[in-house]
Amino acid sequence: MAMTMTVRVTGAGGFVGSWLVERLLAAGRDRMCDDDRFDLCASDAKNAHLAALDGAGERLRLFRADLLDYDSVAKAVAGCDDIFHVELLAPAVTGTKNVLKACSQAQVKRIVVVSSLSAVMVNPEWGDKAMDEGCWSDVDLCRTTENWYCLSKTLAELEAFAHAKRTGLDVVTLCPSLVIGPLLQSIVNASSAVLVDFLTGDRLVKMKLRNFVDVRDVTDALLLMYETPEASGRFVCNSHPRRVSDVIKLLKSWYPAYKYATK
Ligand SMILES: NC(=O)c1ccc[n+]([C@@H]2O[C@H](COP(=O)([O-])OP(=O)(O)OC[C@H]3O[C@@H](n4cnc5c(N)ncnc54)[C@H](OP(=O)(O)O)[C@@H]3O)[C@@H](O)[C@H]2O)c1
């Protein structure tokens, strides 16, 4: 990528977004922008970690944009070359539609959308076959089981590819499993809170298999998709499933003083 590219990251203050900003700055990108729907500025405590990153002073610009408000998205996207769409919100479809439309209007070259394994795995019809990028969650099943997160991620990703087909916008998507790892931001996000549950026993954990992926692997995958022109379509980003009881064992060996879930 040329050193004059301007990259925008939505949801930059979040768990995945913060690591992506860190990696982009570390990789020496020329300049990048990020956004927030509230008061995003260097003095905003919630996002102070971004302004403190190496290179942020020279190459990071912070924007405020509500992704549910098309005009604010269009204003924020104007002048950018490429987009990482990382935000998380219940009505993901509206936010994604707004970003896609603004990208087309602004003639953005490529948009990398963070979808989720939730848009892949809710599909009993798939049977015994190993799930891969060809597998889509069943929207009717998500709806009838009131699995709103999976439904919104699936619909948002389907919409991203439908928009790409209609307009020719270069869209690639990443479907990570449960993302864990060190936090750059000060607020505990939803996926990191799952690990806290292992300590408090709020969820049944014994024997259950979970798919995890490290946040640094997720951001590396996003950068690879961004930098590889021939990358197209969707990419699953996951490691081997781990038994939750084994994860707890590991946590105990690192932090023996905590109490852990036993049921
Ligand atoms: N973490 C996981 O395990 C996981 C797994 C698979 C896929 N994903 C996907 O990865 C993406 C990032 O997840 P994350 O864990 O990093 O989430 P996160 O820490 O909760 O961050 C979400 C970000 O989106 C912003 N946002 C939410 N609604 C917005 C709106 N209307 N306008 C502008 N910004 C808005 C949030 O800003 P505020 O803080 O101001 O609300 C925050 O910066 C999401 O698309 C998620 O579905 C995550």
Side-chain angles (χ1 to χ4, degrees):
M1 286 284 161
M3 288 301 286
T4 50
M5 300 298 279
T6 298
V7 180
R8 166 165 275 285
V9 178
T10 67
F15 181 40
V16 175
S18 296
W19 270 102
L20 185 57
V21 171
E22 195 272 347
R23 287 288 153 105
L24 283 162
L25 286 172
R29 297 300 185 284
D30 175 62
R31 192 175 68 126
M32 51 173 302
C33 327
D34 69 6
D35 74 349
D36 187 89
R37 60 190 158 145
F38 304 122
D39 250 338
L40 185 58
C41 59
S43 60
D44 181 344
K46 193 176 70 173
N47 295 293
H49 63 285
L50 293 180
L53 290 171
D54 265 3
E58 309 81 54
R59 289 182 289 120
L60 180 68
R61 286 174 56 200
L62 306 174
F63 286 83
R64 181 198 305 195
D66 182 352
L67 297 174
L68 299 182
D69 169 6
Y70 176 73
D71 290 340
S72 84
V73 176
K75 216 165 129 190
V77 165
C80 285
D81 298 295
D82 300 288
I83 302 277
F84 287 96
H85 180 45
V86 188
E87 126 287 350
L88 167 74
L89 71 170
V93 185
T94 309
T96 300
K97 273 186 180 167
N98 281 340
V99 174
L100 291 164
K101 189 174 158 200
C103 285
S104 289
Q105 295 270 324
Q107 297 185 320
V108 160
K109 293 188 188 72
R110 165 164 284 196
I111 172 167
V112 182
V113 177
V114 182
S115 181
S116 168
L117 212 55
S118 315
V120 176
M121 286 191 70
V122 188
N123 190 333
E125 296 295 312
W126 201 253
D128 292 336
K129 276 193 292 172
M131 284 178 170
D132 60 17
E133 286 80 0
C135 186
W136 284 87
S137 289
D138 181 330
V139 289
D140 292 332
L141 181 64
C142 292
R143 213 172 260 127
T144 50
T145 53
E146 302 189 353
N147 195 339
W148 305 126
Y149 178 72
C150 293
L151 179 65
S152 67
K153 293 305 287 186
T154 309
L155 291 176
E157 195 187 350
L158 284 167
E159 175 57 30
F161 286 121
H163 182 97
K165 204 169 168 193
R166 276 195 311 271
T167 64
L169 181 69
D170 182 4
V171 174
V172 281
T173 67
L174 187 77
C175 301
S177 54
L178 188 80
V179 185
I180 56 169
L183 271 60
L184 293 179
Q185 82 281 14
S186 55
I187 295 167
V188 178
N189 65 298
S191 60
S192 305
V194 170
L195 289 185
V196 178
D197 284 350
F198 294 172
L199 299 176
T200 58
D202 282 350
R203 293 180 197 203
L204 287 180
V205 291
K206 229 175 190 174
M207 305 300 285
K208 201 174 163 192
L209 284 177
R210 296 275 331 219
N211 292 291
F212 297 99
V213 64
D214 190 295
V215 66
R216 292 157 293 190
D217 292 333
V218 172
T219 47
D220 283 351
L222 289 170
L223 290 180
L224 202 58
M225 290 163 71
Y226 168 60
E227 289 173 334
T228 311
E230 59 271 30
S232 67
R234 64 199 306 231
F235 294 88
V236 165
C237 186
N238 187 28
S239 57
H240 294 289
R242 300 286 300 253
R243 230 184 267 274
V244 170
S245 52
D246 290 342
V247 176
I248 291 181
K249 249 186 239 162
L250 195 64
L251 287 170
K252 273 184 186 167
S253 71
W254 290 339
Y255 308 104
Y258 290 121
K259 282 189 178 161
Y260 289 88
T262 54
K263 61 181 174 73

